[in-house]
Amino acid sequence: MAIELGYNQYGKAETRVVRVVRDTDRHEITDLNVSSALRGDLTAVHLDGSNANVLPTDTQKNTVFAFARDGISSPEEFGVRLARHYVDSQEPIHGAHLKLEQYTWTRHGDHTFSRGDGGEHRTAEIDYDGTDVKVTQGLRDLLLMNSTDSEFTGYIVDKYTTLAPATDRILATSVNAEWKVSDLDVDYNKAYETARNALIAAFRDTYSLSLQQTLYAIGEQIIKEVPQVSEVSLTLPNKHHFLVDLAPFGLENPGEVFYAADRPYGLIEGTVKRN
Ligand SMILES: O=c1[nH]c(=O)c2[nH]c(=O)[nH]c2[nH]1
């Protein structure tokens, strides 16, 4: 029987590093969750028990902390620096994939910050194969709601359809988005802020006939406003808000009282590309 090793990678997942800049009394914090995955000449470790080509995951964790000492200007810059280091300094390591999440802290003073319930956060993904660096920016769990300017009508009706057409509904979603940055000669923080603002503006300004239409509008707006972005992928759960029937209580409900359903939910996914 012929058996062989397929694709493999290994690394340290979820190294939590918090960097404080304290050059002045007004401190800055960068709070990251860093995962590294290395690939390369790693057959012997799986087949023969030789660890000679293995840069331990513990070392990868330590490298994150040591590199943080030099400062973190953006998750993308930090990820690129780590990826290049692992591949360029270790001959058996041929590729590195870095995933970074950045948690947002809101300032309440020079050295006082609060963080929400672990909701919205920024993401960065870097891949380096020894030649090319690929960078993807994004965000996860950004909750958005329009309390009007949303319809859903004109859909297929078959014998299982019970959904009533909606001409004025709540549209709410928890945005998961990532966009490929094709030109790396860019200010990552500025690109991120511009893309995030474009995303929110497109959601706000689109009179939505479906969440699919809103998805396209968001992708289109990001591509229009950030010249370095070539492709935007979006995953949008439709966080349904159903109008409650108050008639049994002798009350009208002119679009004012809703039941926020948890599950199931519609899941709208798509990619918008620069042509
Ligand atoms: O925006 C929507 N898109 C759908 O595909 C869909 N399907 C559904 O039941 N409600 C909605 N809303």
Side-chain angles (χ1 to χ4, degrees):
M1 190 170 20
I3 300 176
E4 62 181 12
L5 179 67
Y7 180 79
N8 62 88
Q9 59 180 19
Y10 80 103
K12 191 65 104 188
E14 305 207 37
T15 299
R16 295 281 288 102
V17 56
V18 177
R19 175 66 159 90
V20 181
V21 176
R22 45 192 308 155
D23 302 348
T24 69
D25 285 346
R26 192 171 171 81
H27 292 183
E28 308 278 346
I29 55 174
T30 305
D31 183 351
L32 294 181
N33 190 21
V34 182
S35 298
S36 55
L38 308 184
R39 54 189 191 271
D41 192 358
L42 296 165
T43 305
V45 62
H46 292 90
L47 271 55
D48 307 330
S50 165
N51 295 330
N53 287 351
V54 175
L55 182 72
T57 69
D58 190 65
T59 309
Q60 296 174 43
K61 175 257 298 170
N62 291 345
T63 309
V64 169
F65 292 123
F67 275 36
R69 187 68 180 82
D70 298 327
I72 301 172
S73 66
S74 69
E76 293 82 4
E77 166 275 330
F78 192 57
V80 169
R81 208 150 64 84
L82 287 163
R84 284 190 181 280
H85 166 77
Y86 294 130
V87 177
D88 293 347
S89 69
Q90 303 301 333
E91 197 269 324
I93 303 302
H94 304 158
H97 196 87
L98 271 287
K99 283 189 185 186
L100 300 97
E101 296 178 338
Q102 180 174 12
Y103 307 117
T104 313
W105 289 83
T106 306
R107 179 182 292 283
H108 299 287
D110 283 348
H111 54 257
T112 305
F113 306 87
S114 68
R115 202 185 122 186
D117 56 2
E120 182 193 353
H121 56 269
R122 175 172 167 179
T123 62
E125 218 165 316
I126 287 90
D127 195 84
Y128 177 54
D129 62 4
T131 311
D132 294 323
V133 177
K134 295 196 177 103
V135 175
T136 302
Q137 292 188 307
L139 54 79
R140 293 192 66 81
D141 301 335
L142 168 62
L143 275 164
L144 294 175
M145 175 191 283
N146 281 326
S147 54
T148 187
D149 281 1
S150 167
E151 301 185 14
F152 188 65
T153 67
Y155 42 81
I156 295 171
V157 174
D158 72 3
K159 65 179 180 175
Y160 301 113
T161 304
T162 58
L163 184 73
T167 52
D168 186 2
R169 66 175 185 171
I170 285 179
L171 186 68
T173 186
S174 172
V175 179
N176 296 314
E178 49 184 46
W179 48 93
K180 286 186 183 167
V181 182
S182 55
D183 175 1
L184 304 190
D185 187 20
V186 63
D187 177 339
Y188 288 115
N189 294 330
K190 189 165 162 249
Y192 176 79
E193 283 307 321
T194 307
R196 183 178 180 278
N197 290 339
L199 187 163
I200 294 170
F203 182 84
R204 181 193 59 210
D205 298 338
T206 302
Y207 186 99
S208 177
L209 299 177
S210 66
L211 189 50
Q212 288 90 329
Q213 189 198 27
T214 296
L215 179 150
Y216 184 80
I218 290 171
E220 186 181 36
Q221 193 73 17
I222 293 174
I223 287 174
K224 275 186 187 161
E225 291 196 24
V226 190
Q228 294 85 0
V229 169
S230 55
E231 194 174 308
V232 181
S233 293
L234 292 149
T235 300
L236 303 178
N238 192 352
K239 299 186 81 69
H240 302 298
H241 288 68
F242 296 115
L243 198 66
V244 179
D245 180 10
L246 298 178
F249 320 122
L251 298 170
E252 290 185 346
N253 188 2
E256 293 184 348
V257 180
F258 293 85
Y259 163 60
D262 177 24
R263 63 190 72 171
Y265 49 88
L267 188 60
I268 311 301
E269 302 173 279
T271 299
V272 183
K273 297 178 178 188
R274 191 183 293 278
N275 200 334

